[in-house]
Amino acid sequence: NPVITNRRLLPTQTVKHHPMLKWNEVPELIRKIECNAHKYAPQVVLCAKFILLTGLRRQAGSNLRWDAIKTDEGKIIIDGKTEGLKRVRGISDQIPHIVPLTEDIEKLIEKAKFYSLSNEYVFSPILSHSRYPHLDPDGVPNFIRSLGVTNYENRVFTIHGWRRTLQSEGQDVFKAPFNVVDKILGHLPRGKVARAYDWSEHVDERREFLTKWGNELTKMGMTI
């Protein structure tokens, strides 16, 4: 091919990540959630708080199954094929994601029982003719976006940005090791060697971190 491309002259696209919150901005989010909770279905508000406590993506949070909750083991074990875990079909979707149960998470799930109309899903749909057998995954993002919480960049906070908050502030504020926070977010080891050899779960360390994380959210005024 005689044509030579100068890549430096090609137009570039800057990747914009979902806006996150710094830890000192989180109290405003909690305040707005509590002030506006009465306007939304309790399933939506509870699922939003569940995501804040666990760092799950909206899809994995909204279709949480009752049979995933292993109270006797102190864990939630989410099937690797669950939408929102972003496993690769046939390669890594046999690997489940573990969420250690904390007192706050257990308390929230117990409260969700009161509002759940499903024997299969923790957060049931709001409408009888919903397109999903569980809470619509768009419910929580719409709720959080409607609060209009802006961050240090003057961007409107979205629920997916909470994962960036947990990853960044979990290390900077809570001094948690990167690998512990990364496993909380459900990320698998990077690279062929790590994927082949690293099968650690750090469940106890993750439970300790999520307990502190939840305690701080409740201190800010988040009710469960």
Side-chain angles (χ1 to χ4, degrees):
N1 189 344
V3 177
I4 299 175
T5 302
N6 188 337
R7 293 185 180 277
R8 290 178 297 178
L9 299 179
L10 293 175
T12 58
Q13 182 176 0
T14 302
V15 177
K16 275 201 135 183
H17 296 286
H18 291 268
M20 62 171 280
L21 294 178
K22 295 289 189 180
W23 192 245
N24 63 349
E25 297 173 318
V26 175
E28 178 64 8
L29 170 67
I30 301 302
R31 186 187 72 80
K32 287 201 171 185
I33 287 175
E34 295 300 329
C35 288
N36 292 276
H38 65 283
K39 300 177 184 178
Y40 292 84
Q43 299 99 306
V44 174
V45 178
L46 285 170
C47 188
K49 292 178 178 180
F50 179 73
I51 290 172
L52 295 183
L53 288 172
T54 62
L56 284 172
R57 292 184 180 87
R58 62 186 179 91
Q59 299 96 328
S62 62
N63 65 21
L64 179 68
R65 300 174 63 94
W66 287 115
D67 59 12
I69 302 168
K70 314 294 183 184
T71 307
D72 55 333
E73 299 180 34
K75 304 174 185 175
I76 299 174
I77 303 177
I78 303 176
D79 188 280
K81 295 179 175 62
T82 302
E83 185 180 3
L85 291 188
K86 295 203 172 179
R87 304 286 197 254
V88 179
R89 184 181 298 178
I91 297 177
S92 59
D93 61 354
Q94 80 282 5
I95 304 173
H97 175 53
I98 295 175
V99 179
L101 285 172
T102 67
E103 185 177 334
D104 286 327
I105 294 173
E106 285 195 76
K107 187 176 177 182
L108 188 146
I109 290 172
E110 190 63 31
K111 189 170 184 179
K113 284 183 182 179
F114 182 80
Y115 297 102
S116 181
L117 303 174
S118 171
N119 293 323
E120 192 173 357
Y121 297 99
V122 176
F123 304 108
S124 55
I126 300 169
L127 303 174
S128 58
H129 55 279
S130 173
R131 54 183 175 159
Y132 297 98
H134 49 73
L135 183 67
D136 192 322
D138 290 334
V140 171
N142 291 340
F143 167 47
I144 296 299
R145 194 179 296 109
S146 73
L147 301 177
V149 177
T150 55
N151 69 353
Y152 61 99
E153 300 174 307
N154 202 30
R155 298 174 66 195
V156 177
F157 173 71
T158 62
I159 193 61
H160 192 80
W162 186 252
R163 289 170 60 82
R164 290 183 64 202
T165 297
L166 198 151
Q167 179 74 275
S168 302
E169 305 302 271
Q171 294 176 80
D172 286 346
V173 177
F174 291 80
K175 308 305 178 186
F178 171 82
N179 61 326
V180 171
V181 181
D182 213 38
K183 287 185 181 296
I184 286 172
L185 293 175
H187 295 155
L188 297 177
R190 295 163 176 79
K192 290 182 180 180
V193 175
R195 285 196 296 269
Y197 287 93
D198 183 8
W199 288 81
S200 61
E201 290 292 353
H202 298 290
V203 174
D204 292 337
E205 293 88 343
R206 288 157 65 182
R207 181 178 288 108
E208 180 181 357
F209 170 80
L210 288 177
T211 297
K212 293 177 182 177
W213 184 261
N215 286 344
E216 290 302 314
L217 293 179
T218 56
K219 283 179 185 178
M220 291 176 183
M222 189 173 86
T223 60
I224 298 175

